[in-house]
Amino acid sequence: MNSVEKKTVASAFKSLLRYQLLLPVILAALLILMAASYFTGKLLHTQHERFNVSIAYTIETFVKHASRELDAIAFAMPNAFLEDTNMSMQALWFSHDLFDTLYLLDNHGVIETLVPIDQRYLGFDMSRSEYYLNVDCDRALNISAPFSSLRTGEPTVYISRCIDGGYLLVGELNLGALQETTYAGQPSLSEASVFVVDQKGTILAHSDFDHVTRQDNISNWKIVDIGLEGENPTFYYWHDSNFWFSTAESIQPMGWLVVTEIPFWVVYGPYLGATFVMIILLVIIFAIAIQRFSITAQQQVVLPLTKLSQS
């Protein structure tokens, strides 16, 4: 066997090791990477769903608590004088940091009293306002669209309770309180962006409160559009120069939506990076092992065969 034949045998032997052993290992590593990514996505999805459910429950409880405070005043009203009702409203306003203002409207939609008292608004006719016209006393809870309060200038919503005799008890709920409630559990997903929108897609709570102040509407976002239809969607999308993973959860009975989004690489980066490094190390180690095995094999297999063929 001449040198050319010897080289051909050695090359064939290396190719056999490379393609029959190294290639399957690389393919197996890639399959491991794909499986790790898939199960990471499933785990992330479950984590986001639980987080959204927790936020949705917290907000629902907060709003229902505010509504029950109005119910307590409304329950006593039919048998109470206006002065007693005003005292109940003052007690609620002073003891709870829930409402910026409490209004009592008569059966014509005129403000009969309010807390804190402001003479400018006594006798003010609200009967032509969109909110008053849309109040449905058959609903357990009436909540307005967000707006800027005339008294405080802060973003707010109205929560109201119908009372016998055509009266309407209205609480002006500052969205700053809703903001604090929403982000009370934020540390569990510190990298996540969490925001709440109403049934029309207007932002009610956001980590950047300017979005709330401006009453930004994101109803054109696909995840918001589908979420407001009653589904709990999961999406990957690009915006604000980043690729996001996002989930949504509806908040009942208000019809609101809580959306949680987190940068794709924040979640998948550590897993993909670790898996990629593992694959590189595995390939390097295996390549070195093949090289050493090839040298040993040439000494113990190729050379003896060469000598045998020359004898």
Side-chain angles (χ1 to χ4, degrees):
M1 182 181 291
N2 57 34
S3 60
V4 175
E5 292 174 332
K6 178 182 175 181
K7 184 176 181 181
T8 302
V9 172
S11 299
F13 191 77
K14 287 183 179 181
S15 296
L16 179 66
L17 292 175
R18 186 180 299 114
Y19 294 112
Q20 297 299 319
L21 293 178
L22 182 58
L23 187 59
V25 169
I26 294 176
L27 292 176
L30 290 175
L31 289 175
I32 292 173
L33 173 61
M34 293 172 61
S37 300
Y38 172 77
F39 287 111
T40 298
K42 295 287 288 184
L43 178 63
L44 175 64
H45 186 208
T46 301
Q47 183 182 17
H48 268 227
E49 281 186 336
R50 291 176 179 174
F51 184 75
N52 283 348
V53 168
S54 174
I55 293 294
Y57 177 77
T58 301
I59 295 174
E60 177 186 346
T61 302
F62 173 78
V63 174
K64 285 185 175 180
H65 171 65
S67 179
R68 282 193 293 268
E69 294 295 336
L70 294 181
D71 289 344
I73 299 175
F75 180 77
M77 261 209 66
N79 301 316
F81 293 105
L82 180 61
E83 293 79 5
D84 296 330
T85 301
N86 190 267
M87 289 179 61
S88 298
M89 292 168 63
Q90 288 185 33
L92 172 60
W93 187 80
F94 279 113
S95 60
H96 299 282
D97 190 22
L98 291 174
F99 301 104
D100 284 340
T101 312
L102 290 170
Y103 302 92
L104 179 64
L105 279 60
D106 65 15
N107 56 354
H108 299 294
V110 176
I111 296 178
E112 193 163 298
T113 186
L114 73 158
V115 175
I117 193 67
D118 189 332
Q119 297 293 334
R120 295 175 301 170
Y121 293 93
L122 287 177
F124 187 80
D125 187 357
M126 298 183 66
S127 63
R128 290 184 293 274
S129 66
E130 181 181 359
Y131 172 68
Y132 184 84
L133 295 173
N134 290 333
V135 168
D136 183 359
C137 290
D138 292 331
R139 288 202 301 260
L141 189 63
N142 283 280
I143 301 181
S144 74
F147 63 96
S148 296
S149 170
L150 293 176
R151 291 193 65 255
T152 66
E154 296 292 328
T156 186
V157 294
Y158 282 147
I159 298 180
S160 62
R161 176 71 160 78
C162 295
I163 303 174
D164 292 346
Y167 285 89
L168 188 68
L169 183 62
V170 180
E172 192 176 277
L173 183 66
N174 192 320
L175 291 180
L178 180 65
Q179 179 92 354
E180 294 176 4
T181 300
T182 302
Y183 293 100
Q186 181 71 12
S188 62
L189 280 176
S190 58
E191 298 291 341
S193 174
V194 183
F195 49 91
V196 180
V197 300
D198 69 2
Q199 59 271 34
K200 294 182 179 179
T202 303
I203 295 177
L204 301 175
H206 196 283
S207 54
D208 183 356
F209 198 67
D210 287 342
H211 290 286
V212 182
T213 303
R214 294 194 303 263
Q215 299 176 28
D216 290 346
N217 188 287
I218 56 172
S219 58
N220 60 329
W221 288 24
K222 190 172 182 179
I223 191 167
V224 174
D225 182 38
I226 295 178
L228 291 175
E229 292 178 358
E231 300 182 26
N232 297 326
T234 299
F235 280 107
Y236 296 90
Y237 51 81
W238 181 273
H239 79 88
D240 292 340
S241 302
N242 212 339
F243 191 57
W244 300 85
F245 169 79
S246 185
T247 57
E249 180 77 23
S250 61
I251 308 173
Q252 299 302 332
M254 295 84 74
W256 295 351
L257 189 73
V258 56
V259 179
T260 301
E261 58 179 15
I262 189 167
F264 178 86
W265 290 110
V266 169
V267 179
Y268 283 97
Y271 297 96
L272 296 179
T275 306
F276 182 74
V277 170
M278 181 190 71
I279 292 175
I280 296 298
L281 290 176
L282 185 62
V283 170
I284 292 174
I285 292 171
F286 200 79
I288 294 174
I290 286 180
Q291 185 66 25
R292 294 179 63 87
F293 183 73
S294 176
I295 294 172
T296 302
Q298 287 187 56
Q299 294 174 348
Q300 298 182 6
V301 178
V302 176
L303 288 177
L305 286 175
T306 301
K307 292 179 180 180
L308 182 63
S309 66
Q310 291 175 350
S311 61

